[in-house]
């Protein structure tokens, strides 16, 4: 499993691995429950390898953030994304000290940590 094969489907929880091409789109498998379903052009997809986090200087790719969290946590799960906004912001500042606090919201941090924890629970290799 590689980050380029992992997507988030708008309106659906969790992450999905792209499994195959179909006539009208792609077939994905949920990392939460293993169920497969077709994704068509009517779905809004976000490929994790194309997502970046704003800093005051540049945009940092999500894969770099995941790698940093993985190094900090030894490949294990990070803090609970349901922690308070203050705790999440403080934790994220350790990961990416110069993130743009005006453009990166607590909800963004929660999503990054949810995704990281889900991938970590599947023994994802963040060093690749």
């Amino acid at each position: 499993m590689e980050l380029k094969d992992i997507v988030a489907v708008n309106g659906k929880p969790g992450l999905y691995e792209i499994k195959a091409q179909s006539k009208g789109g792609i077939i994905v498998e949920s990392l939460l429950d293993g169920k497969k379903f077709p994704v068509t052009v009517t779905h809004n997809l976000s490929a994790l390898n194309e997502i970046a986090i704003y800093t005051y200087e540049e945009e940092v790719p999500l894969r770099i953030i995941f790698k940093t969290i993985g190094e900090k946590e030894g490949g294990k799960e990070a803090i609970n994304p349901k922690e308070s906004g203050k705790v999440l912001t403080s934790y994220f500042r350790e990961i990416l000290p110069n993130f743009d606090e005006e453009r990166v919201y607590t909800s963004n941090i929660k999503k990054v940590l949810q995704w990281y924890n889900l991938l970590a629970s599947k023994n994802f290799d963040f060093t690749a």
Side-chain angles (χ1 to χ4, degrees):
M1 174 173 23
E2 294 180 43
L3 203 57
K4 68 178 181 57
D5 298 324
I6 307 296
V7 295
V9 180
N10 199 16
K12 297 203 177 279
L15 294 173
Y16 299 84
E17 183 177 8
I18 298 171
K19 288 297 191 180
Q21 291 284 126
S22 69
K23 227 181 257 182
I26 57 174
I27 306 295
V28 296
E29 180 180 346
S30 171
L31 295 183
L32 289 174
D33 60 16
K35 292 183 179 171
K36 294 181 182 177
F37 70 94
V39 175
T40 63
V41 293
T42 60
H43 293 93
N44 191 1
L45 290 181
S46 298
L48 264 54
N49 68 325
E50 295 178 9
I51 296 174
I53 301 294
Y54 294 111
T55 68
Y56 292 111
E57 296 84 30
E58 61 186 341
E59 293 180 16
V60 177
L62 193 57
R63 65 181 163 71
I64 303 287
I65 309 243
F66 283 167
K67 185 176 181 182
T68 305
I69 297 172
E71 288 168 356
K72 176 179 173 36
E73 303 298 341
K76 304 283 187 254
E77 290 187 26
I79 65 170
N80 187 332
K82 294 182 179 171
E83 292 282 354
S84 72
K86 255 187 170 164
V87 171
L88 294 175
T89 302
S90 174
Y91 179 85
F92 207 67
R93 206 174 284 119
E94 292 175 32
I95 304 302
L96 190 63
N98 59 340
F99 78 93
D100 187 339
E101 294 189 39
E102 292 176 8
R103 293 173 26 178
V104 179
Y105 303 109
T106 304
S107 60
N108 302 128
I109 295 170
K110 282 183 182 186
K111 186 70 72 181
V112 167
L113 291 172
Q114 284 173 346
W115 289 345
Y116 172 84
N117 286 345
L118 178 57
L119 290 170
S121 74
K122 301 293 181 187
N123 297 316
F124 187 81
D125 181 8
F126 296 104
T127 60

